[in-house]
Amino acid sequence: MIEIKDLTKSYGENIAVDNINFTVEKGEILGFLGPNGAGKSTTMNIITGYIPSTEGSVKVAGYDILEQPSEVKKRIGYLPEQPPLYMDMTVKDYLHFVYEIKKVSQNRKTHISDVMEMVEIGDVQKRLIKNLSKGYKQRVGLAQALLGNPEVLILDEPTVGLDPKQIIEIRNVIKDLGKDHTIILSSHILPEVNAICGRVIIINNGKIAAIDTPENLSKTLTNESKLVVRVAGEESHVIKALKDLTGIKYVEAQGQKEPDSIDYIIEAEANIDIRKPLFYAMSKHGYPILMLKSLDLTLEDIFLQLTMEEEAM
Ligand code: ADP
Ligand code: MG
């Protein structure tokens, strides 16, 4: 459905996108994961035809973005980082306006009301956009992308700036849209792409660091050697008991996260599963374990791990 070949974009000396290659199959939800400045928006702006690439090609449904831009553009709905909303219009007037400029061919009334239903903004259609919450503004942004019923949706950080409840709502809307759209979505939050996407591209400094399913990525990128354990008991005594464990490499107190307990990050020597000895030792000393889990990977951990793997190869 989407074919990106040898894509490069430079701004003078600065290479924003550095020779990127990937394809997206019809019906996929692909996540673009990377820190700020990684090149996510630049890549999306090129795919949607907003800016030209320095080198390389983009094809959507077989059409080249440079040779047949209008064929590509009518197949793509784009929600940019800053949605192009007109604050002084009502939701409904704005959607009618976008309908016009996109030259949408579907029946005007039914199509606009269908789209409003998809993103659940029917109730606010008569309100001025400037008076909507950030979550609803984002839905209106999604609605404008959906007008004309494009097969492909490109969504640039669609949950940025939303509160946790709005994030979950927008994610559910996107998952629903994924049933009959091909979607590329960018994010700098790992759990987010894991929750929504079937496949993830990790991009850093304009380069692809990894492409895989969220499951495989978390398998390759485990932090299983580091655990967080929450223990009730006097801190110095617990630390001593932890440091006495056979095979323990590292113990660090993290402070109190729950009354009468302290969280510790512990790390065992390679290939040692410390969990059972940990349980027996804490039990022997009478220090109840209130929680035990693997340390969550941050985006920084992931890049570190990916670059270390490259060096090892
Ligand atoms: P992301 O969306 O992943 O945060 P961007 O694609 O916005 O990253 O930016 C990638 C890099 O390109 C950054 O270093 C950014 O400063 C640079 N960049 C983006 N747009 C421009 C521009 N119009 N002029 C110069 N540099 C730019
Ligand atoms: Mg961006």
Side-chain angles (χ1 to χ4, degrees):
M1 190 72 195
I2 304 173
E3 261 182 89
I4 310 293
K5 245 179 126 181
D6 302 329
L7 199 67
T8 295
K9 177 75 184 179
S10 5
Y11 293 106
E13 298 275 279
N14 183 9
I15 302 177
V17 175
D18 192 356
N19 196 28
I20 278 185
N21 287 278
F22 65 91
T23 56
V24 190
E25 301 300 324
K26 196 175 165 67
E28 251 195 299
I29 305 187
L30 177 84
F32 237 44
L33 179 69
N36 287 330
K40 305 183 294 295
S41 298
T42 305
T43 307
M44 291 177 144
N45 278 326
I46 296 171
I47 299 174
T48 51
Y50 271 72
I51 58 171
S53 61
T54 310
E55 266 171 71
S57 69
V58 173
K59 277 186 187 167
V60 176
Y63 297 103
D64 188 288
I65 182 74
L66 294 179
E67 286 160 17
Q68 286 159 298
S70 60
E71 290 297 331
V72 172
K73 284 182 183 171
K74 75 180 179 202
R75 285 173 172 80
I76 294 185
Y78 183 28
L79 176 63
E81 227 167 358
Q82 308 287 340
L85 302 176
Y86 290 96
M87 295 296 160
D88 288 316
M89 283 186 178
T90 65
V91 170
K92 193 174 164 195
D93 287 348
Y94 169 69
L95 293 180
H96 276 272
F97 168 74
V98 176
Y99 178 99
E100 294 282 335
I101 52 173
K102 274 193 167 178
K103 300 192 181 80
V104 175
S105 59
Q106 282 86 348
N107 176 282
R108 180 193 281 259
K109 254 191 139 173
T110 45
H111 183 53
I112 289 179
S113 92
D114 286 350
V115 164
M116 286 200 287
E117 194 175 320
M118 268 188 249
V119 297
E120 295 171 30
I121 52 173
D123 293 349
V124 299
Q125 57 180 289
K126 295 198 175 126
R127 294 195 23 204
L128 292 178
I129 292 175
K130 67 178 170 201
N131 295 333
L132 298 177
S133 68
K134 178 90 172 88
Y136 268 93
K137 285 192 183 112
Q138 200 64 324
R139 285 168 193 240
V140 178
L142 268 177
Q144 65 77 30
L146 288 168
L147 284 175
N149 217 0
E151 302 160 71
V152 176
L153 295 175
I154 310 263
L155 313 175
D156 197 355
E157 309 234 13
T159 61
V160 147
L162 305 186
D163 69 34
K165 181 163 170 277
Q166 296 166 336
I167 289 179
I168 290 172
E169 287 167 359
I170 287 283
R171 276 185 198 167
N172 287 338
V173 172
I174 295 170
K175 271 197 225 165
D176 245 21
L177 292 170
K179 289 174 193 155
D180 44 15
H181 290 86
T182 304
I183 300 180
I184 302 182
L185 151 149
S186 73
S187 176
H188 60 274
I189 308 165
L190 175 68
E192 170 144 297
V193 293
N194 281 352
I196 312 182
C197 303
R199 211 153 56 101
V200 181
I201 292 185
I202 297 181
I203 170 172
N204 193 25
N205 283 328
K207 289 195 182 74
I208 291 180
I211 308 186
D212 217 327
T213 60
E215 293 77 26
N216 284 341
L217 279 175
S218 23
K219 252 182 245 159
T220 14
L221 301 165
T222 45
N223 219 343
E224 61 197 6
S225 60
K226 276 193 185 163
L227 299 168
V228 185
V229 58
R230 180 170 298 166
V231 185
E234 213 280 311
E235 184 172 333
S236 59
H237 295 170
V238 175
I239 288 183
K240 180 167 185 319
L242 290 171
K243 286 189 170 162
D244 282 346
L245 286 168
T246 312
I248 195 88
K249 194 165 100 185
Y250 177 78
V251 176
E252 183 196 328
Q254 289 282 292
Q256 178 175 301
K257 305 275 160 76
E258 187 188 321
D260 301 323
S261 70
I262 301 285
D263 282 15
Y264 304 87
I265 293 178
I266 62 171
E267 188 177 3
E269 305 288 346
N271 303 321
I272 290 190
D273 187 343
I274 202 85
R275 291 171 302 174
K276 285 180 188 168
L278 171 71
F279 166 80
Y280 289 122
M282 294 299 108
S283 170
K284 191 181 87 190
H285 288 98
Y287 305 141
I289 294 177
L290 305 181
M291 183 196 73
L292 177 65
K293 63 170 191 169
S294 308
L295 187 64
D296 288 335
L297 282 174
T298 64
L299 205 47
E300 286 68 32
D301 294 331
I302 291 179
F303 292 125
L304 202 62
Q305 220 162 318
L306 285 169
T307 34
M308 283 194 315
E309 272 168 27
E310 264 169 31
E311 277 163 17
M313 274 193 291

